[in-house]
Amino acid sequence: MTVKQLGKILKEMYDSAQEGYQLTNILLFGIEYAPVILEEDYKTTDIVRASGLHPSFSIEVRKGIKLSKFVTAV
């Protein structure tokens, strides 16, 4: 998966979130895609830039990646 593809997914998750849950979806993106991001050593700033979202959202993606270590799929 490329940075561009991840950016597209992030944008779709952000846009499809209910009002008030956009940041939650960014965290969920970080949790869900952490294995790919870490394995490929992608920078969250590059993913967010590819998504077209505000650069500050890279912090939320990083938080999601960190949370992924404590979350398991149900």
Side-chain angles (χ1 to χ4, degrees):
M1 188 169 288
T2 66
V3 168
K4 186 175 180 178
Q5 290 170 319
L6 288 167
K8 182 179 178 188
I9 294 167
L10 175 59
K11 176 76 167 132
E12 289 170 357
M13 288 181 72
Y14 180 86
D15 288 344
S16 67
Q18 283 184 318
E19 185 66 33
Y21 287 88
Q22 291 90 352
L23 290 180
T24 303
N25 270 16
I26 293 174
L27 288 170
L28 289 173
F29 169 85
I31 292 168
E32 184 173 346
Y33 291 95
V36 174
I37 295 167
L38 294 171
E39 182 178 319
E40 298 296 330
D41 200 28
Y42 290 145
K43 294 180 180 175
T44 58
T45 52
D46 293 338
I47 296 167
V48 172
R49 187 178 304 115
S51 75
L53 296 174
H54 193 278
S56 66
F57 288 138
S58 65
I59 295 167
E60 301 304 321
V61 175
R62 274 187 245 131
K63 288 178 187 176
I65 292 169
K66 288 181 180 181
L67 285 170
S68 72
K69 297 173 184 165
F70 305 101
V71 177
T72 56
V74 194

